[in-house]
Amino acid sequence: MITIKEIAQKAGVSATTVSNVLNGNTGKVSLPIREKIEAILVQENYAPNMGAHILARKNSRTVGVIIFMEPRGDETVLEDPFSSTILGAIEAELHSNGYYMMLLSTSDKDEVFRLSSAWKLAGLILLFVPKELIRSLQKKILSPTVFVDSNIRESLPGCLSVGLEDYAGGYKMGRYLISMGHREIVFVANDNSEDCSDYNRFSGFQKAFEDEGLILNNDHFIPLSMNRSQRIDFYDRLATKPFPYSCIAFSADYYAVEAINRFQEQGRDIPADISVSGFDDNIYSRIIRPRLTTVHQDVRKKGTSAVNLLIRAIEKGEPQEFHEYLPVRLEIRDSVGRI
Amino acid sequence: MITIKEIAQKAGVSATTVSNVLNGNTGKVSLPIREKIEAILVQENYAPNMGAHILARKNSRTVGVIIFMEPRGDETVLEDPFSSTILGAIEAELHSNGYYMMLLSTSDKDEVFRLSSAWKLAGLILLFVPKELIRSLQKKILSPTVFVDSNIRESLPGCLSVGLEDYAGGYKMGRYLISMGHREIVFVANDNSEDCSDYNRFSGFQKAFEDEGLILNNDHFIPLSMNRSQRIDFYDRLATKPFPYSCIAFSADYYAVEAINRFQEQGRDIPADISVSGFDDNIYSRIIRPRLTTVHQDVRKKGTSAVNLLIRAIEKGEPQEFHEYLPVRLEIRDSVGRI
DNA sequence: CTGTTAGCGCATTCAA
DNA sequence: TTGAATGCGCTAACAG
């Protein structure tokens, strides 16, 4: 409401001087004047007009956080505590660094471009972008961008990313399942691309089998339907005697828990009839019975890492390319039995 | 990147004309020219400079969504599927109506004011604002505002809100518990204000008891700690023999599930030793064993209702005051036993 | 150290 | 039906 000009009047100085204290252009303003202006600023609860700021500075101190998926797609993604946990962490970290946060869910590359361009975004955090789309997205986007959970494995010039040690996670779980005597397992993924982090996890499983002289071929990688009732049908087939697999390994706790629930409704005993493993270690994996054996990841850390990486890139232009892989660890609980 | 002026050049017209087709000022532009401009617009993937737009129009077509709580407060709020479900619903609805969404978590009234003023927000959606703060917030905010889950019960001039039939929900659950023979119950809330929706739910319980000639006094309303280990201690006290209550009624599934988990770890049998009820009907209430008896609410609906109400207020200035109370229904499952 | 000035891109008068 | 001129609030040269 109140403008720089009015503040300047009250303080008996020019608008430029006020602008200078506002922008921390200290050294250009004498201390007494600066203090006087600062006092008026808080007293009036001054709020800058971001429109004018963007126009003059070509930069909005705003970060766009994009959930890269169909807005009306699989809404269960949002029922997974993962989403709000990482969004909350991102928001808190941006906030404490003085950035605004714009939230958008889309799978339209042009829309991402338009957002970043319209708002002169300082940076972008993109969640769940399939790796094969990164290149074309980067060509459109002007500001620093961090990709979260895009499963980048090799060098990608000019790309910043935060992900997980997916392969190691799969490997650890794979070895554990083998050590428990499982040979007939299937990996159930919630993403179907061969380039997704789910597939990376699966590759870890494959390596674990290979190390034991066993084989886990690609037929054992099964993408899950995004439609709930189709998933239920699928679970039912897995739980039909004779059970085709001794263990079902899920790429997300959310679906592991959903499946356990269904298996039990069908009268199956977990893990006596079928073993189940997850990935994420969300709160509910500890709450379900049997407690879920899973791979732990630190979701909040993922969010704060993404923000910190982005801010370094924005403010220092520092890492040209950087890929952070957060560690995972096996959480052995009760849903995997010994054969 | 590309500006109106450049588009105008390409089309051989003035910037004003382009601006007119952009703003749907049809009738001011001849059809052939309009079509020509529109073609160039999409071809160039034109994105308006929102800075200039805000400056000229004093309105940003942006809605601020504010989670009204300490940024570093109780982070479990964000692990509750409720949060991401409602945020996702709000985002999708805003998006499909052509609004941008700004997300902020704070409990600082001045910051809310500054946000709305800096960005010339078209409207605001505030989640979890305690009722007693609404007045002072409204004084600061300039744009239409919808309060979600603020437990407004009587008329509040100039206020728009979306909430739940909390009282009815409490009443229904109360009657059910009584019908199952429970007399010694306690209501465990995650909010401690006497003005919160939790208390409203509790009042419904009280009424149910009263209707049966029983008494449930205020000592039976217990606010929960925001600190996890303190909560666990509290659960342990509830599960110490002789059990002080036959049924623990929670104001949120999240905590009900947390408690059941702890009770079971302590070797208690639910519902044989203690009955538990929830409120929300989130997915995990169906997944836990025993399945949770709870009160259902439609979280997505809450989000879309808030957005639609807000948009009506923004675009038509229509409802001066309006309070929507979404219905609830009892979900009888297995966590409440018969005494 | 402080003030003057120009210009950012757009919507909106007002003239033509 | 179209165009030229003005101003929104701020930053950044530049001048003093």
Side-chain angles (χ1 to χ4, degrees), chain B residues 305-323:
Chain B
S305 290
V307 171
N308 290 323
L309 181 53
L310 183 64
I311 289 180
R312 268 167 47 207
I314 292 172
E315 296 180 356
K316 303 181 187 158
E318 196 189 45
Q320 290 299 316
E321 174 174 4
F322 192 81
H323 306 290

Side-chain angles (χ1 to χ4, degrees), chain B residues 124 126 129-139 141 143-163 309-310 312-313 318-325:
Chain B
L124 239 28
L126 296 190
V129 175
K131 192 170 56 178
E132 64 270 23
L133 295 181
I134 290 186
R135 270 288 155 69
S136 58
L137 266 164
Q138 281 189 309
K139 265 188 290 187
I141 300 173
S143 30
T145 302
V146 172
F147 294 87
V148 176
D149 278 348
S150 279
N151 184 42
I152 290 156
R153 275 171 289 175
E154 67 293 311
S155 173
L156 252 183
C159 180
L160 307 174
S161 78
V162 175
L309 181 53
L310 183 64
R312 268 167 47 207
E318 196 189 45
Q320 290 299 316
E321 174 174 4
F322 192 81
H323 306 290
E324 184 168 359
Y325 303 92

Side-chain angles (χ1 to χ4, degrees), chain B residues 291-304:
Chain B
R291 297 179 314 144
L292 187 66
T293 291
T294 188
V295 177
H296 175 85
Q297 67 160 309
D298 187 340
V299 178
R300 294 195 59 83
K301 182 98 194 298
K302 219 181 218 175
T304 54

Side-chain angles (χ1 to χ4, degrees), chain B residues 41-109:
Chain B
L41 247 21
V42 307
Q43 178 195 323
E44 301 284 338
N45 198 13
Y46 170 77
N49 181 325
M50 288 307 290
H53 184 274
I54 292 173
L55 204 49
R57 207 100 170 304
K58 296 167 188 336
N59 169 11
S60 63
R61 218 179 162 76
T62 297
V63 169
V65 177
I66 313 234
I67 300 168
F68 201 79
M69 58 175 202
E70 295 293 335
R72 298 284 178 189
D74 180 24
E75 282 156 1
T76 59
V77 171
L78 293 169
E79 288 186 321
D80 191 333
F82 177 89
S83 303
S84 47
T85 303
I86 195 164
L87 285 181
I90 289 174
E91 194 283 329
E93 198 68 14
L94 285 174
H95 190 181
S96 72
N97 281 279
Y99 284 84
Y100 296 99
M101 167 171 169
M102 203 128 214
L103 182 64
L104 177 66
S105 178
T106 185
S107 60
D108 177 349
K109 285 180 282 181

Side-chain angles (χ1 to χ4, degrees), chain A residues 89-143:
Chain A
I90 289 173
E91 193 282 329
E93 198 68 14
L94 285 174
H95 191 183
S96 72
N97 281 278
Y99 284 83
Y100 296 99
M101 168 170 169
M102 200 127 216
L103 181 65
L104 177 66
S105 177
T106 185
S107 60
D108 178 349
K109 284 181 283 181
D110 283 334
E111 193 172 16
V112 176
F113 160 75
R114 267 181 271 125
L115 184 83
S116 102
S117 155
W119 291 96
K120 304 286 177 268
L121 295 182
L124 238 30
I125 294 177
L126 296 191
L127 306 179
F128 317 132
V129 175
K131 192 170 57 178
E132 64 271 22
L133 294 182
I134 289 186
R135 269 288 155 70
S136 59
L137 267 164
Q138 281 188 310
K139 266 188 288 187
K140 291 174 184 286
I141 300 173
L142 347 82
S143 30

Side-chain angles (χ1 to χ4, degrees), chain A residues 12 34 83 113 166 204 273 323:
Chain A
R34 181 173 137 205
S83 303
F113 160 75
D166 289 302
D273 289 333
H323 306 292

Side-chain angles (χ1 to χ4, degrees), chain A residues 78 84 95 111 118 261 289, chain B residues 50 78 84 95 111 118 261 289:
Chain A
L78 293 169
S84 48
H95 191 183
E111 193 172 16
N261 185 42
R289 290 297 177 276
Chain B
M50 288 307 290
L78 293 169
S84 47
H95 190 181
E111 193 172 16
N261 186 41
R289 291 295 177 278

